[in-house]
Amino acid sequence: MLAASMLLLAGCAGAEQGDAVSQESSEAPEAPANRAGASPVPSPAAAKQVDCTASEETVFSCAMPGGKRLAVCAPSAGPAQYRFGTKEPELVLRGGKWARAMYSGGGEAQIAFANGDTRYIVFSRMVRTNFAAGEPNYPAISDGVLIMRDDELVAVRPCAGGQADMPVQYDAAERVFAQEDELFTDETMRADPDWSR
């Protein structure tokens, strides 16, 4: 089950909003044949590590359970990158879009990257958990990535400990990504510490 979950993070090869590069082991699915007029998937040479370099702006960063890391990095030139893996990326996605919403006592930011029919939605959210008059808000904070295929939820992967090293940076996301009017999904609520099925 764990191996299958990790393969979901590595995903299918392809591109929709950006380019995808997978460096997964031989267990990763092969890239589909290029569509007419589509350029080949670029070389992963630019991404030598998962965490953002000193010359890149960190838009999001967190440790994932199992010792892996996830980062969204904005290089000085070229599109932003979603990176997932250990020391070296197993999956690099380029491009992306972002959206945000304000809540009473909190808010949420999401950055969506496409890999064929699979979307990886990085999120940072804070929601109010106490609505009693005069009482503290007691916010629930959660960060991670949500994986969807054909608009169906595949997995919710919270950051280790439930929170990111660096949650989505709104100013950076505003500069780097095209902004959508609405959040990509409301399924991120499943990552809230008190969420129950």
Side-chain angles (χ1 to χ4, degrees), residues 7 10-15 20-34 41 115-117:
L7 282 176
C12 312
V21 177
S22 178
Q23 294 176 306
E24 184 79 27
S25 68
S26 59
E27 296 175 3
E30 291 184 26
N34 286 334
V41 175
N115 188 12
D117 62 356

Side-chain angles (χ1 to χ4, degrees), residues 1-193:
M1 183 71 171
L2 179 60
S5 297
M6 297 318 290
L7 282 176
L8 285 174
L9 287 173
C12 312
E16 182 180 298
Q17 290 167 252
D19 300 318
V21 177
S22 178
Q23 294 176 306
E24 184 79 27
S25 68
S26 59
E27 296 175 3
E30 291 184 26
N34 286 334
R35 295 176 288 224
S39 60
V41 175
S43 163
K48 300 281 188 193
Q49 64 187 51
V50 174
D51 289 315
C52 305
T53 65
S55 65
E56 296 174 314
E57 185 172 12
T58 302
V59 183
F60 178 89
S61 174
C62 86
M64 301 298 289
K68 303 216 176 187
R69 294 200 54 81
L70 187 152
V72 176
C73 306
S76 56
Q81 297 181 358
Y82 167 108
R83 300 177 191 158
F84 171 81
T86 49
K87 290 182 181 179
E88 293 185 6
E90 295 171 16
L91 178 66
V92 175
L93 303 173
R94 294 181 175 91
K97 294 180 181 181
W98 92 293
R100 65 180 178 171
M102 300 304 291
Y103 304 142
S104 171
E108 180 169 1
Q110 298 178 355
I111 304 172
F113 290 86
N115 188 12
D117 62 356
T118 304
R119 283 194 307 166
Y120 297 81
I121 302 171
V122 173
F123 65 89
S124 291
R125 62 185 267 121
M126 179 170 51
V127 294
R128 182 177 189 151
T129 61
N130 184 8
F131 291 90
E135 294 294 322
N137 177 337
Y138 300 122
I141 299 170
S142 57
D143 302 282
V145 62
L146 185 140
I147 304 162
M148 299 188 81
R149 183 169 294 131
D150 292 326
D151 294 323
E152 295 291 326
L153 180 65
V154 174
V156 178
R157 300 286 181 246
C159 296
Q163 294 184 10
D165 303 330
M166 180 176 288
V168 173
Q169 300 297 292
Y170 281 52
D171 289 344
E174 186 78 38
R175 285 191 303 275
V176 174
F177 299 105
Q179 185 171 350
E180 296 290 314
D181 293 333
E182 296 182 8
L183 294 176
F184 303 104
T185 181
D186 62 358
E187 296 283 2
T188 53
M189 73 176 90
R190 294 172 183 257
D192 290 348

